[in-house]
């Protein structure tokens, strides 16, 4: 098998890496599509032009969990000046994308929290002004082993009508993507499938130290670690015994009650569950 695409994101800010431009060039030379989820603060070189390689990405999604400077500083636990820095960087990225041959899609995503929920109309208007392609509104999902429980059990019921209204700000060039199904699941607190069929097949996650995990919701759990890129090639890891052991774990033993509701493989698992239990729906 061959890797087709990579996303730079994860347990830290990917643009902190001092050789991120070299990594982008290497990915492009290897024939990979690559993308970024970033906080946006470090997108520019010397606060003036995009770092080399960024506008070769398939997409760049800026995590901006706020609609105002004040809530941004509080939620991101940073200085208010970073709000202006991020928006300046976004505008430069969009302008450079539009005046070059770059086809990079540039978007913003926001995790809906009690502190920012009713500022989303303002955030959408800022996105339109900056010229980004889309805004994603998604719920907070409590990770299984997360130490913080500050936002656990958020009640999204009262917010839904307002958030649906923000979608009306979509235009021909800008889309508000409201993750309504994910929010409904956070309200119901139930998975809509019986087991995870995506792990360890649909994707994997490489840590900064080289370890490869088959699920980002279970990082540091040895049952999901299938090797280390400093010791083996990716092909050796992907075709190795530890991945086979993980496959048997997921098929025969693992209880998804140990999993968060809206993981990255949520939609894949819904589709695979449907193929097994109601395959005719794919043709309706």
């Amino acid at each position: 098998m061959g890797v087709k695409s990579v996303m730079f994101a994860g347990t830290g800010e990917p643009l902190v890496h001092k050789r991120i431009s070299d990594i982008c060039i290497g990915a492009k030379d290897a024939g990979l599509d690559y993308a970024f989820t970033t906080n946006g603060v470090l997108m520019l070189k010397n606060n003036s032009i995009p770092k080399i390689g960024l506008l070769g990405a398939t997409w760049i999604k800026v995590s901006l969990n706020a609609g105002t400077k004040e809530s941004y500083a509080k939620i991101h636990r940073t200085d208010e000046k970073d709000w202006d820095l991020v928006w300046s960087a976004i505008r430069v990225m969009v302008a450079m994308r539009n005046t070059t041959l770059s086809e990079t899609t540039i978007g913003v995503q926001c995790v809906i929290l009690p502190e920012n929920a009713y500022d989303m109309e303002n955030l959408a208007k800022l996105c339109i002004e900056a010229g980004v392609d889309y805004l994603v509104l998604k719920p907070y999902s409590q990770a299984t082993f997360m130490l913080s429980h500050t936002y656990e059990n958020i009640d999204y019921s009262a917010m839904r009508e307002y958030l649906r209204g923000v979608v009306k700000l979509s235009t021909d060039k800008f889309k508000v993507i409201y993750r309504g199904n994910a929010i409904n699941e956070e309200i119901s607190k139930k998975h809509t499938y019986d087991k995870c069929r995506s792990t360890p097949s649909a994707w994997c996650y490489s840590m900064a130290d080289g370890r490869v995990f088959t699920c980002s919701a279970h990082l540091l759990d040895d049952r999901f670690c299938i090797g280390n890129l400093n010791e083996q090639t990716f092909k050796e890891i992907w075709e190795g015994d530890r991945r086979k052991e993980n496959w048997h774990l997921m098929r025969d033993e693992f209880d998804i009650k140990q999993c968060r509701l809206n993981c990255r493989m949520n939609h894949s698992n819904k589709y695979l569950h449907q193929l097994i239990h109601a395959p005719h729906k794919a043709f309706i």
Side-chain angles (χ1 to χ4, degrees):
M1 61 85 63
V3 178
K4 301 299 183 183
S5 61
V6 293
M7 179 180 68
F8 301 121
T11 53
E13 168 54 44
L15 296 180
V16 168
H17 199 294
K18 293 181 179 180
R19 297 190 62 191
I20 193 62
S21 292
D22 293 333
I23 293 171
C24 291
I25 294 169
K28 181 67 73 174
D29 289 345
L32 296 174
D33 289 331
Y34 60 94
F36 283 89
T37 296
T38 170
N39 63 29
V41 175
L42 299 175
M43 291 193 294
L44 303 185
K45 183 178 181 180
N46 299 324
N47 292 325
S48 59
I49 61 173
K51 287 184 175 178
I52 295 172
L54 289 194
L55 289 179
T58 303
W59 53 263
I60 298 172
K61 185 162 54 179
V62 179
S63 293
L64 201 61
N65 301 324
T68 67
K69 180 182 297 188
E70 294 75 21
S71 60
Y72 174 83
K74 180 179 179 181
I75 294 168
H76 285 259
R77 300 181 183 182
T78 188
D79 196 288
E80 289 185 7
K81 66 181 181 182
D82 283 340
W83 171 262
D84 297 323
L85 185 63
V86 171
W87 281 109
S88 176
I90 290 173
R91 293 186 184 98
V92 170
M93 293 291 291
V94 170
M96 290 292 289
R97 186 272 310 271
N98 293 346
T99 55
T100 64
L101 297 177
S102 171
E103 297 181 352
T104 303
T105 299
I106 300 173
V108 170
Q109 73 172 6
C110 182
V111 176
I112 305 302
L113 302 171
E115 296 96 323
N116 66 26
Y118 296 99
D119 293 330
M120 292 302 97
E121 183 175 339
N122 187 60
L123 179 58
K125 290 178 179 178
L126 288 170
C127 288
I128 293 171
E129 178 188 348
V132 303
D133 300 301
Y134 65 85
L135 167 64
V136 176
L137 305 178
K138 66 178 188 177
Y140 172 84
S141 179
Q142 180 70 30
T144 309
F145 303 107
M146 185 178 290
L147 296 178
S148 172
H149 293 269
T150 302
Y151 294 111
E152 190 172 13
N153 298 319
I154 296 174
D155 184 2
Y156 286 102
S157 301
M159 306 175 193
R160 281 187 293 187
E161 184 175 354
Y162 169 80
L163 294 172
R164 291 190 191 109
V166 180
V167 177
K168 296 177 181 178
L169 293 175
S170 295
T171 68
D172 291 340
K173 295 182 179 181
F174 169 74
K175 301 299 178 186
V176 177
I177 303 168
Y178 167 63
R179 302 292 191 199
N181 289 335
I183 283 181
N184 290 340
E185 287 179 14
E186 290 295 335
I187 293 172
S188 70
K189 304 298 180 186
K190 293 189 297 185
H191 285 100
T192 57
Y193 41 88
D194 58 339
K195 63 174 61 179
C196 177
R197 296 179 174 86
S198 296
T199 302
S201 302
W203 91 316
C204 64
Y205 189 99
S206 175
M207 298 285 281
D209 62 4
R211 283 180 296 169
V212 177
F213 289 83
T214 58
C215 176
S216 64
H218 295 278
L219 298 179
L220 307 184
D221 186 332
D222 286 340
R223 295 176 300 171
F224 292 85
C225 181
I226 58 175
N228 191 307
L229 290 169
N230 294 315
E231 301 168 0
Q232 297 174 284
T233 65
F234 181 79
K235 185 175 187 292
E236 291 171 338
I237 292 172
W238 196 250
E239 297 177 354
D241 290 338
R242 293 179 69 176
R243 178 169 173 257
K244 185 176 181 179
E245 291 171 4
N246 188 239
W247 185 85
H248 283 292
L249 170 72
M250 301 309 295
R251 189 189 67 171
D252 302 325
E253 303 173 29
F254 192 77
D255 185 352
I256 61 168
K257 290 180 180 178
Q258 301 175 49
C259 296
R260 67 198 304 172
L261 284 172
N262 285 294
C263 70
R264 291 191 182 276
M265 292 293 103
N266 192 38
H267 287 294
S268 296
N269 278 321
K270 288 180 181 179
Y271 177 71
L272 293 170
H273 179 85
Q274 174 186 296
L275 284 181
I276 292 172
H277 296 283
H280 64 282
K281 286 187 177 180
F283 303 99
I284 295 178

